[in-house]
Amino acid sequence: MTEPPQPPNQPPTPSGYGHLPGPPQQGYGYPQQGENPYAQQPAPGQPPYPQQPATVPAYPAHGLQPPAPGTAGMPPKKKLTLLVAASVASLLVLGGVGYVALGGDGEDPEQPVAQESGDAKPSGSPSVDVGDGSGPGGNQQTDLNAGRKQGEDKVLWLKTTKIDGPGAGVATKGQWVVGDTVAKTVGKAIKGYAVADGKEKWSIDFPAEICGMSNRTTDDGKTVVMFRDGTTETATCNQIQMIDLKAGKGGWKKEVTKENDFDLFVDPSLAMTGDTVTVNRLTRATAFRISTGDKLFATPNEGCKAGAYAGGSGKMIGVATCGDADMTVEVQDADPVTGKKTWAYRLPKGWKVARVYSLDPIVLHLTNATSKESSIVVLGPDGKQRTTLSGEGNFSTDCSMSHDDTLQGCATAVVDAGTLYLPTTVDLGKANEIVAFDLNTGKVKWRVPAGEGRTLIPVKAENGKLIAYRQAEPNLGGEVLSIPADGSTPTALLRHPSGLSAPIESSFYSPKVDYVDGRFFISTSRLLAQEKDEKLLMVFGK
């Protein structure tokens, strides 16, 4: 097959309009308030995790070669969720190689056999409080470890909260584990809890709704959040504040001013790398120094304008839209201090950046709305396309549980040195799998199936291995698995109880998860906020 020409890599000159958000946030299918405030069940017709579009099983037995890339117009934001799910019989390509989303034989894979591990035991892990609700875990009336089976680990604590809010509920998307503290957004506050026993260590209150945050922190435990400039429905998300998560204190705060009359604060988001944070919005972005709050740079007024930046690993790239007739998109490198670029990677007509999976190396998930194609490409340090990933399965930019439509909001895509780990999406009740892609060759290295109709998602890369979470079911606790670099037999780091805690663990809405120092953290990203106790944060360990 003839290799199609590569996209040009010279920086263009026309100016234009730009912001390239990922897929739209889904409707809130969070659980109804039941008699048990902890084990809330989903609303009718909603799964506990609304993460799997009704697509095809991810195990086709085909090895087709993709055609040359198609071209099409700009995708409406509201349709991106449907595009990947609709690609059940299309080849997903760009740059000559793609990955395939074709129907398989429908058979479930074998369940991975996880070995026991005794080296992930955290220190100072108390039992769950089972008293009158005044203990460290907060509000528990039942021993969630009662009836724990042999080989299962413990619920260390469960934190619940009772707040009042608007009818649509309150977003609680922030979760950071820093040292001996786990911090969580709760209404108009960020609260810090001791990781060992759940005792509240500190609370930082905000005058209005927290409306933006980064999952990242600096090396010394600082992050930046956004909040609105008032409490009315017309309030703008344009206030930022630095938060010291280790000390539990707020730092500098300021209003992000408009760069010009066309600067609209629509769906703003944050990106962090090193000592730089950028405030991304519709057509502009502004960068500040995290340590001091000093302004560093803003989107230039000429050329292809970056409306969003992505950061990580001490690096930064901008996603810009050019002012030509095709509204072409280009990816630019950016100096984190000055914003200056040295290269630009121009996408073919009709292609957009849906997700940025990594900055070192640069791994991009690209989509084309009209042709309903999708592709994952790897760029070299010079901005030239290095490889395009190829593999069988359905991989959605919805990114499983996250419901975060920012450029870097895909919590279930993990990159380490030379490998991208992605979960497949399948029909409800079917087992998915994690697929490891070699970023040097673009080929699949291995696949690990979840088994038994379960769902397995990557969490983080650690010590050369992949940490993955096998999601809980109403009658089965979740598991934290360590998958070796070669994709061989996983090791169980934690096996969560399957008794009273399983229906609680399985019903967190669009959960935020993390595994740090032998403990697994899972929290909700939205509260009903009806002045009733609701589960907020649950922690498991040895």
Side-chain angles (χ1 to χ4, degrees):
M1 167 169 281
T2 302
E3 186 79 8
Q6 297 295 308
N9 287 280
Q10 68 273 16
T13 55
S15 61
Y17 167 92
H19 173 59
L20 297 171
Q25 190 162 320
Q26 301 295 305
Y28 293 120
Y30 46 89
Q32 301 285 348
Q33 183 77 32
E35 293 181 3
N36 185 335
Y38 321 129
Q40 296 158 334
Q41 295 303 311
Q46 294 286 347
Y49 297 108
Q51 81 277 18
Q52 296 175 330
T55 54
V56 297
Y59 311 105
H62 308 286
L64 304 180
Q65 295 295 319
T71 59
M74 185 173 184
K77 180 179 178 183
K78 295 295 184 183
K79 292 185 178 179
L80 278 175
T81 303
L82 304 177
L83 299 180
V84 180
S87 301
V88 295
S90 65
L91 296 177
L92 312 182
V93 298
L94 182 67
V97 185
Y99 58 83
V100 187
L102 297 174
D105 56 14
E107 295 181 1
D108 291 339
E110 294 294 326
Q111 177 183 351
V113 178
Q115 300 172 341
E116 290 285 359
S117 172
D119 58 0
K121 186 174 182 179
S123 60
S125 301
S127 299
V128 173
D129 175 75
V130 295
D132 60 4
S134 62
N139 306 93
Q140 289 103 301
Q141 300 293 329
T142 306
D143 181 0
L144 296 178
N145 291 310
R148 188 163 55 99
K149 300 174 184 177
Q150 184 176 3
E152 292 182 340
D153 297 301
K154 298 177 182 179
V155 178
L156 299 183
W157 49 271
L158 169 67
K159 179 64 63 175
T160 65
T161 189
K162 182 190 295 185
I163 64 173
D164 187 27
V170 173
T172 57
K173 294 183 179 180
Q175 175 183 294
W176 305 268
V177 182
V178 178
D180 60 357
T181 302
V182 53
K184 180 69 184 168
T185 54
V186 186
K188 298 176 183 178
I190 299 177
K191 295 183 180 292
Y193 305 101
V195 296
D197 56 19
K199 288 183 178 178
E200 184 174 318
K201 300 175 65 175
W202 49 260
S203 179
I204 301 172
D205 296 323
F206 293 81
E209 175 192 359
I210 299 171
C211 51
M213 66 207 66
S214 170
N215 293 322
R216 299 179 181 274
T217 65
T218 61
D219 291 341
D220 57 354
K222 295 180 175 65
T223 192
V224 177
V225 299
M226 302 188 73
F227 60 97
R228 298 191 182 278
D229 62 1
T231 57
T232 65
E233 292 183 359
T234 59
T236 302
C237 184
N238 62 0
Q239 308 291 309
I240 59 174
Q241 182 170 9
M242 185 269 283
I243 304 296
D244 187 333
L245 296 169
K246 282 189 174 180
K249 296 179 179 179
W252 58 261
K253 55 184 173 182
K254 61 172 53 181
E255 177 176 330
V256 183
T257 58
K258 291 184 176 183
E259 297 297 333
N260 59 29
D261 291 340
F262 302 100
D263 187 359
L264 302 177
F265 282 76
V266 177
D267 295 331
S269 63
L270 299 174
M272 288 175 51
T273 189
D275 195 28
T276 300
V277 59
T278 65
V279 181
N280 306 323
R281 52 253 193 214
L282 189 62
T283 63
R284 293 291 188 275
T286 310
F288 299 91
R289 195 179 297 278
I290 297 172
S291 56
T292 64
D294 295 336
K295 182 177 176 179
L296 294 173
F297 63 88
T299 301
N301 288 320
E302 68 282 341
C304 300
K305 298 180 179 63
Y309 288 89
S313 303
K315 303 178 184 298
M316 183 167 285
I317 60 172
V319 177
T321 303
C322 304
D324 56 3
D326 297 324
M327 299 295 285
T328 310
V329 172
E330 74 173 24
V331 178
Q332 312 164 346
D333 73 323
D335 184 287
V337 177
T338 66
K340 292 182 179 180
K341 69 178 182 180
T342 57
W343 56 256
Y345 168 75
R346 183 75 73 95
L347 275 61
K349 176 183 175 182
W351 288 87
K352 310 297 173 187
V353 179
R355 298 284 183 175
V356 177
Y357 291 149
S358 170
L359 273 292
D360 188 19
I362 298 172
V363 184
L364 309 173
H365 195 146
L366 310 178
T367 57
N368 188 312
T370 303
S371 65
K372 299 181 180 179
E373 292 173 307
S374 179
S375 181
I376 300 176
V377 301
V378 182
L379 304 185
D382 57 358
K384 294 182 179 180
Q385 184 170 319
R386 197 176 82 190
T387 50
T388 303
L389 305 191
S390 175
E392 298 169 348
N394 193 56
F395 307 89
S396 173
T397 53
D398 287 345
C399 296
S400 188
M401 302 183 301
S402 61
H403 281 193
D404 182 345
D405 64 359
T406 60
L407 278 176
Q408 294 180 274
C410 190
T412 56
V414 172
V415 177
D416 65 4
T419 306
L420 167 67
Y421 306 94
L422 284 177
T424 60
T425 57
V426 297
D427 286 323
L428 291 174
K430 297 288 186 178
N432 84 324
E433 61 185 357
I434 291 177
V435 182
F437 293 92
D438 188 319
L439 297 179
N440 294 312
T441 66
K443 304 299 182 182
V444 171
K445 296 170 65 175
W446 50 257
R447 299 169 180 265
V448 170
E452 295 183 355
R454 302 287 290 275
T455 299
L456 192 61
I457 62 169
V459 175
K460 67 197 310 182
E462 189 174 81
N463 300 323
K465 300 179 180 180
L466 176 68
I467 305 299
Y469 174 47
R470 195 174 186 221
Q471 293 179 353
E473 300 290 335
N475 61 341
L476 289 172
E479 290 181 301
V480 179
L481 304 179
S482 174
I483 303 175
D486 61 1
S488 56
T489 304
T491 297
L493 301 178
L494 289 176
R495 286 194 170 106
H496 303 168
S498 295
L500 297 175
S501 69
I504 303 173
E505 181 187 358
S506 65
S507 62
F508 275 91
Y509 170 73
S510 189
K512 303 282 290 186
V513 301
D514 203 354
Y515 178 76
V516 182
D517 295 334
R519 298 181 181 91
F520 180 78
F521 301 81
I522 181 169
S523 67
T524 186
S525 63
R526 196 162 191 89
L527 293 168
L528 292 174
Q530 296 178 354
E531 289 191 304
K532 297 180 180 179
D533 271 331
E534 300 179 76
K535 62 182 180 295
L536 176 71
L537 173 63
M538 197 173 192
V539 183
F540 298 83
K542 293 290 184 181

